[in-house]
Amino acid sequence: MQLCGFIITNDGGMESLNLTRSILAEIVGTFFLIFIGCGGVHGALTAGLPIGQAGVLQIGFAFGLGIGGAVHLFSDISGGQFNPAVSFGLFFARQQSLVDACIFSVAQVVGGLIGCGVLQGILGYCPGSVDLASDITELGGFAIELFGTLFLVLTVLSTTNSKRGHAPSYLQPLSIGICIFTLHMFLVPTTGCGLNPARSFVTNVVAGTLNSSFYIYIIAPMVASIAGGSTVRVPVQPALRSSQTHRHRKRARDGLDKLWTVSDRN
């Protein structure tokens, strides 16, 4: 079923087995995202690496390579989303149903909570909670999270768009991992680098660090998902239509050339 071009539910629904596999993939993938990424935060802290120097690199590598590996593992099952902003970005790009986006978002929160619980049990605390730096205002933090998540959503949607025809499958985890790594260089010292409502929510809930500015880590990424999903079709589709038009014109010219050749022979 569709509404104004947006997919609300899949026609005929998703097969029970496929849906179950996709949900499990999102749970396990988000678990690894939290376990490896937030584990990297613990590693940076225990190594005494100051945030702003080598510590940011270690955290960026942990999240970037961790997410890239998880996407590589599960992209063929659920798309390797692991982020409600990405799930709803796919919905607003009309590549996924609203029902699937909601189901996968819940699965991501569940996987994140499991990851935080495991870290809590092993380390005695849950590293990786997010908060604004002392010199960052709420408006500034909102803008940073908004544009950072927008870059991530556009990267994911571009690398998963099969209609572009020029992106090999291995570029999806590589591009997403590099994107995440790059964003951590700027966002870790300023906002803690949320980019993901599920990741921010579970770490701050388990760590008990929810505060009055936490809304930024939910609203800003979701606004970015709307903006990214709604606009990603603009730079892709016109180019696609232009390419198709060029092919049609070329076929027409080839047909006329053949016709003229036959006419000259006659």
Side-chain angles (χ1 to χ4, degrees), residues 20-167:
T20 301
R21 292 176 70 244
S22 296
I23 292 173
L24 289 176
E26 289 297 306
I27 291 174
V28 176
T30 311
F31 164 81
F32 281 125
L33 157 64
I34 297 297
F35 184 77
I36 297 173
C38 294
V41 175
H42 171 75
L45 294 176
T46 55
L49 299 177
I51 298 301
Q53 298 181 27
V56 174
L57 289 174
Q58 181 166 335
I59 295 170
F61 274 119
F63 274 102
L65 297 180
I67 291 175
V71 170
H72 179 70
L73 286 173
F74 300 110
S75 60
D76 292 338
I77 301 175
S78 66
Q81 301 171 31
F82 316 136
N83 185 338
V86 171
S87 296
F88 280 94
L90 288 166
F91 163 69
F92 285 107
R94 304 179 188 184
Q95 298 179 25
Q96 179 169 261
S97 73
L98 176 61
V99 171
D100 287 348
C102 292
I103 292 175
F104 291 159
S105 296
V106 173
Q108 291 153 11
V109 171
V110 171
L113 286 173
I114 296 172
C116 287
V118 170
L119 289 175
Q120 181 81 28
I122 296 173
L123 304 176
Y125 79 111
C126 180
S129 60
V130 293
D131 195 8
L132 299 179
S134 59
D135 59 339
I136 301 297
T137 64
E138 290 190 15
L139 180 60
F142 189 95
I144 292 171
E145 285 291 320
L146 171 64
F147 292 120
T149 309
L150 179 60
F151 180 56
L152 171 61
V153 171
L154 290 174
T155 299
V156 172
L157 293 178
S158 296
T159 56
T160 58
N161 191 340
S162 60
K163 293 182 179 180
R164 301 188 72 164
H166 67 270

